[in-house]
Amino acid sequence: MSTLTRKLGVGAIATLSTMALLGGCAADPGTDDGAAPGDGDSSQGVTFPEGEIGPAEDTDITVAIPFPDITMYSMYEVASAKGWYEEEGLTVEVITADNVAAAVSSGSADIGVESAGAVIEAIRGGVEIELLSGHYCRQNFDFATQPDIDSIEDLDGTAVVLAGTAGDPAEFQRARVLADYGWDLDTVNVEIVYPGPDSATWREFLVNDRVSVIPFYGDDRPALEEYGANIIIESVQNWANDFHLAGSDWLAENPNSAVRFLRATMKALDLITAPGLGELPENKDEVLDIYEAADFDVADLRVQDTPWVLDGHLACPNLYVDEEAWDITIETQSLQPLDFSENVDLGYLLKAQELLGIDNDGVTGDELNYP
């Protein structure tokens, strides 16, 4: 199983490599070189001219991510190393932020990555952000129990972890997956506890016999196996994991920059996921070389020979998002309904996809079985 795992955020700032700029001056909104209402064919609210777009308006883009692991950095590192941002006239810097939506809405970052439910709730709350595209379109749900727990009845009277902090919508999704696999927590008397945002803390609670069940990620697995934990579920669901978001004012002023950023990022995802979902990544060595050059430790990944080594099973190379992904997020995270068409403009994503000759098709198949 992959060790490219997702962790919760820290406040430190990390910088992606800075690239030389290509391209000319910023486009003047309203001219044939830029994107402005009334130009070309309409894709929801924003419109673009037919064919190629104008040069980037903002050439220096800051992207905020919630935690600094390889999976979060992956597409940006690859697009940087391959020169695809440079081709678009962009310099991209990546930072980490405890609250990505706040960083983006305040202008500390231009584009961010945040969990799908958190983006929906920020939009509902009137935060000055827009949903720009998908990020990772699937989620893995892995659970471990104490060694002596073999059935749902064994959980009666114990404490379980479903999320690090109260109010995390992921709690509802995890409870749902547990129930789907025969571990319905509503059928037993359990106490839900919240040890803190880091999965390493959840793991410590389990190995010190303080809780009976935890979700876990790939880098938790060696310690869990050494302890003798019972791995009860390993699954992947076709539920949106994260969304790309952008500041409302920044997006309105920099439509070409947004499209160019998306186009370069999709090229990176195509390289990472080739030749296709569930297959051994044909560019594994090249991608790991890029990670290693960016000071990530990839020694454990070098020796892995599975389709999951680059976490490509979580990705849609076209950065897919649509109303179905939005509605599934609301349903699985038990959020209040929020109308997609009134709150989302996919025009930037659709234009980037058009320029690459791809569509916005979503995930297929009920579930992926792994490892």
Short mmCIF file of all heavy atoms in Angstrom, two decimals, residues 284-324:
data_model
loop_
_atom_site.label_atom_id
_atom_site.label_comp_id
_atom_site.label_asym_id
_atom_site.label_seq_id
_atom_site.Cartn_x
_atom_site.Cartn_y
_atom_site.Cartn_z
N LYS A 284 6.43 5.89 -12.89
CA LYS A 284 6.77 5.88 -11.46
C LYS A 284 8.16 6.42 -11.19
O LYS A 284 8.34 7.30 -10.33
CB LYS A 284 6.65 4.45 -10.92
CG LYS A 284 7.21 4.28 -9.51
CD LYS A 284 7.29 2.82 -9.11
CE LYS A 284 8.13 2.61 -7.87
NZ LYS A 284 8.29 1.19 -7.51
N ASP A 285 9.17 5.92 -11.90
CA ASP A 285 10.55 6.33 -11.61
C ASP A 285 10.75 7.82 -11.87
O ASP A 285 11.40 8.51 -11.08
CB ASP A 285 11.53 5.51 -12.45
CG ASP A 285 11.60 4.06 -12.01
OD1 ASP A 285 11.23 3.78 -10.84
OD2 ASP A 285 12.01 3.21 -12.81
N GLU A 286 10.18 8.31 -12.96
CA GLU A 286 10.32 9.73 -13.27
C GLU A 286 9.66 10.58 -12.19
O GLU A 286 10.21 11.59 -11.74
CB GLU A 286 9.71 10.04 -14.63
CG GLU A 286 9.84 11.50 -15.02
CD GLU A 286 9.22 11.82 -16.37
OE1 GLU A 286 8.61 10.92 -16.98
OE2 GLU A 286 9.35 12.98 -16.81
N VAL A 287 8.46 10.19 -11.77
CA VAL A 287 7.75 10.95 -10.75
C VAL A 287 8.50 10.92 -9.43
O VAL A 287 8.66 11.95 -8.76
CB VAL A 287 6.32 10.41 -10.59
CG1 VAL A 287 5.63 11.05 -9.38
CG2 VAL A 287 5.50 10.68 -11.85
N LEU A 288 9.00 9.74 -9.04
CA LEU A 288 9.74 9.65 -7.78
C LEU A 288 11.05 10.44 -7.84
O LEU A 288 11.49 11.01 -6.84
CB LEU A 288 10.00 8.19 -7.43
CG LEU A 288 8.77 7.37 -7.04
CD1 LEU A 288 9.16 5.95 -6.66
CD2 LEU A 288 7.98 8.03 -5.91
N ASP A 289 11.67 10.49 -9.00
CA ASP A 289 12.86 11.34 -9.16
C ASP A 289 12.52 12.80 -8.90
O ASP A 289 13.30 13.53 -8.27
CB ASP A 289 13.44 11.19 -10.57
CG ASP A 289 14.14 9.85 -10.78
OD1 ASP A 289 14.42 9.15 -9.80
OD2 ASP A 289 14.38 9.52 -11.97
N ILE A 290 11.37 13.23 -9.37
CA ILE A 290 10.93 14.61 -9.14
C ILE A 290 10.69 14.86 -7.66
O ILE A 290 11.12 15.87 -7.11
CB ILE A 290 9.66 14.91 -9.97
CG1 ILE A 290 10.00 14.94 -11.46
CG2 ILE A 290 9.02 16.23 -9.53
CD1 ILE A 290 8.79 15.00 -12.38
N TYR A 291 10.03 13.92 -7.01
CA TYR A 291 9.79 14.07 -5.56
C TYR A 291 11.10 14.12 -4.79
O TYR A 291 11.27 14.92 -3.87
CB TYR A 291 8.95 12.90 -5.04
CG TYR A 291 7.54 12.80 -5.57
CD1 TYR A 291 6.80 11.64 -5.37
CD2 TYR A 291 6.95 13.85 -6.26
CE1 TYR A 291 5.50 11.53 -5.84
CE2 TYR A 291 5.65 13.74 -6.73
CZ TYR A 291 4.93 12.57 -6.52
OH TYR A 291 3.65 12.46 -6.98
N GLU A 292 12.03 13.23 -5.16
CA GLU A 292 13.30 13.17 -4.46
C GLU A 292 14.08 14.47 -4.64
O GLU A 292 14.70 14.97 -3.70
CB GLU A 292 14.11 11.98 -4.96
CG GLU A 292 15.35 11.68 -4.13
CD GLU A 292 15.96 10.33 -4.49
OE1 GLU A 292 16.07 10.03 -5.70
OE2 GLU A 292 16.31 9.60 -3.56
N ALA A 293 14.03 15.03 -5.85
CA ALA A 293 14.71 16.29 -6.10
C ALA A 293 14.10 17.43 -5.29
O ALA A 293 14.77 18.43 -5.02
CB ALA A 293 14.66 16.62 -7.59
N ALA A 294 12.84 17.25 -4.88
CA ALA A 294 12.17 18.25 -4.04
C ALA A 294 12.32 17.93 -2.56
O ALA A 294 11.60 18.47 -1.73
CB ALA A 294 10.70 18.32 -4.41
N ASP A 295 13.27 17.03 -2.23
CA ASP A 295 13.64 16.71 -0.85
C ASP A 295 12.62 15.85 -0.12
O ASP A 295 12.56 15.87 1.12
CB ASP A 295 13.91 17.99 -0.04
CG ASP A 295 15.12 18.75 -0.56
OD1 ASP A 295 16.06 18.09 -1.04
OD2 ASP A 295 15.12 19.99 -0.50
N PHE A 296 11.79 15.09 -0.84
CA PHE A 296 10.95 14.10 -0.20
C PHE A 296 11.70 12.76 -0.14
O PHE A 296 12.44 12.41 -1.06
CB PHE A 296 9.65 13.91 -0.98
CG PHE A 296 8.67 15.04 -0.81
CD1 PHE A 296 8.53 16.00 -1.81
CD2 PHE A 296 7.89 15.16 0.32
CE1 PHE A 296 7.63 17.05 -1.68
CE2 PHE A 296 7.00 16.19 0.48
CZ PHE A 296 6.86 17.14 -0.52
N ASP A 297 11.50 12.03 0.94
CA ASP A 297 12.09 10.71 1.11
C ASP A 297 11.22 9.69 0.38
O ASP A 297 10.08 9.46 0.76
CB ASP A 297 12.18 10.36 2.59
CG ASP A 297 12.87 9.03 2.84
OD1 ASP A 297 13.23 8.35 1.85
OD2 ASP A 297 13.02 8.65 4.02
N VAL A 298 11.75 9.10 -0.67
CA VAL A 298 10.96 8.17 -1.48
C VAL A 298 11.52 6.76 -1.45
O VAL A 298 11.15 5.92 -2.28
CB VAL A 298 10.86 8.67 -2.94
CG1 VAL A 298 10.17 10.02 -3.00
CG2 VAL A 298 12.24 8.74 -3.59
N ALA A 299 12.42 6.48 -0.51
CA ALA A 299 13.08 5.17 -0.48
C ALA A 299 12.07 4.03 -0.38
O ALA A 299 12.18 3.02 -1.09
CB ALA A 299 14.06 5.10 0.68
N ASP A 300 11.06 4.18 0.49
CA ASP A 300 10.06 3.12 0.64
C ASP A 300 9.22 2.95 -0.63
O ASP A 300 8.79 1.84 -0.97
CB ASP A 300 9.14 3.43 1.82
CG ASP A 300 9.85 3.30 3.16
OD1 ASP A 300 10.91 2.65 3.20
OD2 ASP A 300 9.34 3.84 4.15
N LEU A 301 9.00 4.05 -1.33
CA LEU A 301 8.19 3.98 -2.55
C LEU A 301 8.95 3.35 -3.70
O LEU A 301 8.36 2.72 -4.58
CB LEU A 301 7.73 5.39 -2.94
CG LEU A 301 6.89 6.12 -1.88
CD1 LEU A 301 6.58 7.54 -2.36
CD2 LEU A 301 5.61 5.38 -1.58
N ARG A 302 10.26 3.48 -3.70
CA ARG A 302 11.07 2.91 -4.78
C ARG A 302 10.86 1.40 -4.90
O ARG A 302 10.87 0.84 -6.00
CB ARG A 302 12.55 3.18 -4.53
CG ARG A 302 12.97 4.64 -4.62
CD ARG A 302 13.10 5.12 -6.03
NE ARG A 302 13.69 6.46 -6.09
CZ ARG A 302 13.68 7.21 -7.18
NH1 ARG A 302 13.13 6.75 -8.30
NH2 ARG A 302 14.22 8.42 -7.16
N VAL A 303 10.68 0.74 -3.77
CA VAL A 303 10.61 -0.73 -3.78
C VAL A 303 9.19 -1.24 -3.92
O VAL A 303 8.98 -2.45 -4.02
CB VAL A 303 11.25 -1.30 -2.49
CG1 VAL A 303 12.72 -0.91 -2.42
CG2 VAL A 303 10.51 -0.83 -1.24
N GLN A 304 8.21 -0.34 -3.93
CA GLN A 304 6.82 -0.79 -4.07
C GLN A 304 6.50 -0.99 -5.54
O GLN A 304 6.91 -0.20 -6.40
CB GLN A 304 5.86 0.23 -3.47
CG GLN A 304 5.96 0.33 -1.96
CD GLN A 304 4.89 1.23 -1.37
OE1 GLN A 304 3.79 1.34 -1.92
NE2 GLN A 304 5.19 1.87 -0.26
N ASP A 305 5.74 -2.02 -5.81
CA ASP A 305 5.39 -2.36 -7.18
C ASP A 305 3.89 -2.64 -7.25
O ASP A 305 3.45 -3.72 -7.61
CB ASP A 305 6.19 -3.58 -7.65
CG ASP A 305 6.10 -3.79 -9.16
OD1 ASP A 305 5.90 -2.79 -9.87
OD2 ASP A 305 6.21 -4.95 -9.61
N THR A 306 3.10 -1.65 -6.87
CA THR A 306 1.65 -1.78 -6.86
C THR A 306 1.03 -0.61 -7.62
O THR A 306 1.66 0.44 -7.80
CB THR A 306 1.09 -1.77 -5.43
OG1 THR A 306 1.10 -0.43 -4.92
CG2 THR A 306 1.91 -2.67 -4.51
N PRO A 307 -0.21 -0.76 -8.06
CA PRO A 307 -0.89 0.36 -8.74
C PRO A 307 -1.09 1.58 -7.85
O PRO A 307 -1.35 2.66 -8.35
CB PRO A 307 -2.24 -0.24 -9.15
CG PRO A 307 -2.01 -1.72 -9.19
CD PRO A 307 -1.02 -1.99 -8.10
N TRP A 308 -0.93 1.41 -6.53
CA TRP A 308 -1.27 2.49 -5.60
C TRP A 308 -0.06 3.31 -5.16
O TRP A 308 -0.19 4.21 -4.35
CB TRP A 308 -1.95 1.90 -4.36
CG TRP A 308 -2.84 0.75 -4.69
CD1 TRP A 308 -2.67 -0.56 -4.31
CD2 TRP A 308 -4.03 0.77 -5.47
NE1 TRP A 308 -3.67 -1.34 -4.82
CE2 TRP A 308 -4.53 -0.54 -5.54
CE3 TRP A 308 -4.72 1.79 -6.13
CZ2 TRP A 308 -5.69 -0.87 -6.24
CZ3 TRP A 308 -5.87 1.45 -6.83
CH2 TRP A 308 -6.34 0.15 -6.87
N VAL A 309 1.10 3.02 -5.70
CA VAL A 309 2.33 3.60 -5.17
C VAL A 309 2.35 5.13 -5.24
O VAL A 309 2.92 5.78 -4.38
CB VAL A 309 3.56 2.98 -5.89
CG1 VAL A 309 3.54 3.30 -7.37
CG2 VAL A 309 4.85 3.45 -5.25
N LEU A 310 1.71 5.71 -6.25
CA LEU A 310 1.70 7.16 -6.39
C LEU A 310 0.36 7.77 -5.97
O LEU A 310 0.11 8.96 -6.21
CB LEU A 310 2.01 7.57 -7.84
CG LEU A 310 3.36 7.12 -8.40
CD1 LEU A 310 3.51 7.56 -9.85
CD2 LEU A 310 4.51 7.67 -7.55
N ASP A 311 -0.49 6.99 -5.34
CA ASP A 311 -1.81 7.45 -4.93
C ASP A 311 -2.66 7.94 -6.10
O ASP A 311 -3.58 8.73 -5.92
CB ASP A 311 -1.72 8.55 -3.87
CG ASP A 311 -1.74 7.98 -2.46
OD1 ASP A 311 -1.80 6.75 -2.32
OD2 ASP A 311 -1.70 8.76 -1.50
N GLY A 312 -2.35 7.45 -7.30
CA GLY A 312 -3.11 7.86 -8.46
C GLY A 312 -4.55 7.39 -8.43
O GLY A 312 -5.40 7.94 -9.13
N HIS A 313 -4.85 6.38 -7.59
CA HIS A 313 -6.22 5.88 -7.52
C HIS A 313 -7.16 6.92 -6.92
O HIS A 313 -8.39 6.78 -7.02
CB HIS A 313 -6.27 4.60 -6.69
CG HIS A 313 -5.79 4.74 -5.28
ND1 HIS A 313 -4.49 5.04 -4.98
CD2 HIS A 313 -6.43 4.62 -4.09
CE1 HIS A 313 -4.35 5.09 -3.67
NE2 HIS A 313 -5.51 4.85 -3.10
N LEU A 314 -6.62 7.95 -6.26
CA LEU A 314 -7.46 9.00 -5.69
C LEU A 314 -7.75 10.12 -6.69
O LEU A 314 -8.59 10.98 -6.42
CB LEU A 314 -6.78 9.60 -4.44
CG LEU A 314 -6.47 8.64 -3.30
CD1 LEU A 314 -5.78 9.37 -2.17
CD2 LEU A 314 -7.74 7.95 -2.81
N ALA A 315 -7.06 10.12 -7.81
CA ALA A 315 -7.09 11.27 -8.71
C ALA A 315 -7.97 11.04 -9.92
O ALA A 315 -8.12 9.92 -10.41
CB ALA A 315 -5.67 11.58 -9.18
N CYS A 316 -8.54 12.12 -10.42
CA CYS A 316 -9.12 12.19 -11.75
C CYS A 316 -8.25 13.17 -12.54
O CYS A 316 -8.20 14.36 -12.20
CB CYS A 316 -10.56 12.69 -11.70
SG CYS A 316 -11.73 11.47 -11.05
N PRO A 317 -7.57 12.70 -13.58
CA PRO A 317 -6.63 13.59 -14.28
C PRO A 317 -7.28 14.83 -14.88
O PRO A 317 -6.60 15.81 -15.14
CB PRO A 317 -6.06 12.67 -15.38
CG PRO A 317 -6.24 11.29 -14.87
CD PRO A 317 -7.50 11.32 -14.07
N ASN A 318 -8.61 14.79 -15.08
CA ASN A 318 -9.29 15.96 -15.63
C ASN A 318 -9.80 16.91 -14.53
O ASN A 318 -10.54 17.85 -14.83
CB ASN A 318 -10.47 15.54 -16.52
CG ASN A 318 -11.53 14.75 -15.75
OD1 ASN A 318 -11.36 14.41 -14.58
ND2 ASN A 318 -12.64 14.46 -16.41
N LEU A 319 -9.40 16.68 -13.28
CA LEU A 319 -9.83 17.51 -12.15
C LEU A 319 -11.35 17.60 -12.06
O LEU A 319 -11.94 18.62 -11.73
CB LEU A 319 -9.21 18.91 -12.22
CG LEU A 319 -7.70 18.98 -11.97
CD1 LEU A 319 -7.19 20.40 -12.15
CD2 LEU A 319 -7.33 18.46 -10.58
N TYR A 320 -11.96 16.46 -12.31
CA TYR A 320 -13.42 16.37 -12.37
C TYR A 320 -14.12 16.92 -11.13
O TYR A 320 -13.74 16.67 -9.99
CB TYR A 320 -13.81 14.89 -12.53
CG TYR A 320 -15.19 14.55 -12.00
CD1 TYR A 320 -16.32 14.88 -12.74
CD2 TYR A 320 -15.34 13.91 -10.78
CE1 TYR A 320 -17.59 14.57 -12.25
CE2 TYR A 320 -16.60 13.59 -10.28
CZ TYR A 320 -17.72 13.94 -11.03
OH TYR A 320 -18.97 13.63 -10.54
N VAL A 321 -15.16 17.68 -11.38
CA VAL A 321 -16.16 18.04 -10.37
C VAL A 321 -17.42 18.43 -11.12
O VAL A 321 -17.35 18.98 -12.22
CB VAL A 321 -15.69 19.18 -9.45
CG1 VAL A 321 -15.56 20.49 -10.20
CG2 VAL A 321 -16.63 19.36 -8.27
N ASP A 322 -18.56 18.11 -10.57
CA ASP A 322 -19.82 18.53 -11.16
C ASP A 322 -20.89 18.49 -10.08
O ASP A 322 -20.59 18.29 -8.89
CB ASP A 322 -20.20 17.66 -12.37
CG ASP A 322 -20.43 16.19 -12.02
OD1 ASP A 322 -20.44 15.83 -10.82
OD2 ASP A 322 -20.61 15.39 -12.96
N GLU A 323 -22.14 18.68 -10.48
CA GLU A 323 -23.22 18.73 -9.51
C GLU A 323 -23.37 17.41 -8.75
O GLU A 323 -23.70 17.40 -7.56
CB GLU A 323 -24.53 19.09 -10.20
CG GLU A 323 -25.69 19.31 -9.24
CD GLU A 323 -26.90 19.92 -9.92
OE1 GLU A 323 -26.87 20.11 -11.16
OE2 GLU A 323 -27.90 20.20 -9.21
N GLU A 324 -23.11 16.29 -9.43
CA GLU A 324 -23.22 15.00 -8.75
C GLU A 324 -22.21 14.89 -7.62
O GLU A 324 -22.54 14.45 -6.52
CB GLU A 324 -23.02 13.85 -9.75
CG GLU A 324 -23.17 12.48 -9.11
CD GLU A 324 -23.02 11.35 -10.11
OE1 GLU A 324 -22.56 11.59 -11.25
OE2 GLU A 324 -23.36 10.20 -9.74
#
